[in-house]
Amino acid sequence: MPSAPHRRHRARPERRTARATVVSVTALAAVALVVSLVVAFRPDGGSGEPAAAPAASAKASASPSVSAEPSSASPSPTAGKKKESASPKPTPSAPSPSPSTSARPAPRTPAATGSLAGRIRPGATYRGVATSYDIGDGDGACSFGPSSDVMTAAMNTADYETSKACGAYVQVRAGGKSITVRITNECPAPCVAGQLDLSRQAFAQLAPLSAGRITVDWSLLSPATSDTVSIRYKTGSSRYWCGIQALGHRNPLARLEVRTGDGSWLSLPRAEYNYFLSEQGTGCGGTIRLTDIYGERLTVEGLAVRAEAVQGTGVQFARR
């Protein structure tokens, strides 16, 4: 009998072991069931192969977020500022011009009236040669008529410019000496551009006549004078055709206009003999407007058509 409790005692652990085993088996079965359920509901349908595609698509979807991040080189948030930041900025080694240089106004020089001045421009110095000739009674291609003025010169054909040089005063310099002459004539070939053919009296003030030919510098002059401008109508002029000439103008004449019947101004063409011609008689005997190479205008009214008569105007261009 005493051995029974002992067996009973030993039998109890055996029974607990069996229960543990059953519980363990049951738990394992439950776990297996849960695992099988999880596997059954996996996205790959339980094929058991690794899901590599979703991983790849996840990487692809991640890349746009990287490119959309603001670059440290262009932190500005707006597109406009990005364009600005993309534009290269000047470096200190290449600064932009200072306002004092780029905004400096152009000097008021004769070039501003270059379209009126033609070949002989105010403020310009010309280098050429001077020769001499006998001026006779003082008349010449400019049709000013006989004159006692001996300080005159003939201008080469190029600078004569179809009588545009007529009446111009030029200062001529050579060997430290200087004279002033008025252009009254044209010097054709072999005179070349820049050449002046001086009266013998004028040439002798620069060099002996025996020198024949000397190098000179010359430039346009706006002299002091007490004279005023005069107007002369050419022989044969009438209200149907006329030639008009201006005399005694201080500065070279750029344009002569006449007022038409409708009140507008008509610019007359200039002949090589220094008359402005109205072929149809427009403005003959009417109001005349003179413009010098500096752009100054003088208006003359009330002069009748009187051929070869010199009619005073009482006006003069300003000294420049």
Side-chain angles (χ1 to χ4, degrees):
M1 292 296 296
S3 60
H6 178 72
R7 285 195 298 267
R8 199 179 296 122
H9 181 77
R10 291 178 65 181
R12 288 176 184 173
E14 290 175 358
R15 285 196 296 270
R16 283 200 297 270
T17 301
R19 289 179 184 175
T21 302
V22 172
V23 172
S24 300
V25 171
T26 304
L28 290 174
V31 171
L33 178 61
V34 172
V35 171
S36 64
L37 291 175
V38 171
V39 171
F41 286 99
R42 285 172 59 183
D44 60 353
S47 63
E49 296 180 0
S57 63
K59 291 180 181 178
S61 63
S63 59
S65 63
V66 173
S67 63
E69 291 178 1
S71 169
S72 60
S74 55
S76 49
T78 63
K81 290 184 178 179
K82 285 181 181 178
K83 290 180 180 179
E84 292 174 2
S85 63
S87 302
K89 296 181 179 179
T91 62
S93 60
S96 57
S98 62
S100 61
T101 300
S102 59
R104 182 179 300 169
R108 296 179 63 84
T109 64
T113 57
S115 60
L116 293 177
R119 288 180 60 90
I120 304 176
R121 296 173 176 267
T125 297
Y126 301 86
R127 169 61 65 92
V129 296
T131 49
S132 66
Y133 79 109
D134 184 356
I135 63 173
D137 64 1
D139 197 6
C142 292
S143 306
F144 290 141
S147 172
S148 60
D149 181 11
V150 296
M151 296 300 290
T152 60
M155 182 65 72
N156 66 84
T157 298
D159 295 321
Y160 182 77
E161 201 173 0
T162 315
S163 77
K164 198 165 188 175
C166 286
Y169 291 87
V170 296
Q171 186 177 43
V172 188
R173 298 169 294 274
K177 300 177 180 180
S178 174
I179 61 172
T180 298
V181 295
R182 185 170 63 104
I183 305 303
T184 60
N185 209 345
E186 177 186 5
C187 182
C191 281
V192 297
Q195 182 171 347
L196 295 172
D197 205 17
L198 303 174
S199 68
R200 290 181 179 176
Q201 295 85 341
F203 188 97
Q205 294 191 25
L206 297 176
L209 290 176
S210 59
R213 183 183 183 94
I214 59 174
T215 300
V216 296
D217 291 332
W218 57 272
S219 56
L220 188 64
L221 189 66
S222 179
T225 180
S226 58
D227 291 342
T228 59
V229 179
S230 298
I231 297 294
R232 178 166 59 192
Y233 280 93
K234 194 177 187 318
T235 301
S237 293
S238 69
R239 62 190 180 94
Y240 303 106
W241 177 95
C242 64
I244 308 173
Q245 184 185 55
L247 303 168
H249 43 86
R250 184 200 310 267
N251 305 319
L253 199 63
R255 191 161 50 225
L256 187 149
E257 301 165 285
V258 293
R259 193 185 294 276
T260 65
D262 61 5
S264 61
W265 292 100
L266 173 66
S267 182
L268 299 183
R270 192 174 195 168
E272 62 181 5
Y273 50 86
N274 195 34
Y275 273 88
F276 293 83
L277 306 181
S278 177
E279 299 286 356
Q280 306 301 321
T282 303
C284 295
T287 303
I288 299 171
R289 186 166 71 178
L290 307 172
T291 304
D292 70 3
I293 62 171
Y294 298 95
E296 183 181 359
R297 292 172 176 171
L298 302 176
T299 302
V300 180
E301 299 182 10
L303 297 181
V305 179
R306 296 168 55 193
E308 292 302 319
V310 177
Q311 304 183 63
T313 65
V315 294
Q316 181 60 272
F317 293 111
R319 188 178 184 185
R320 305 291 177 171

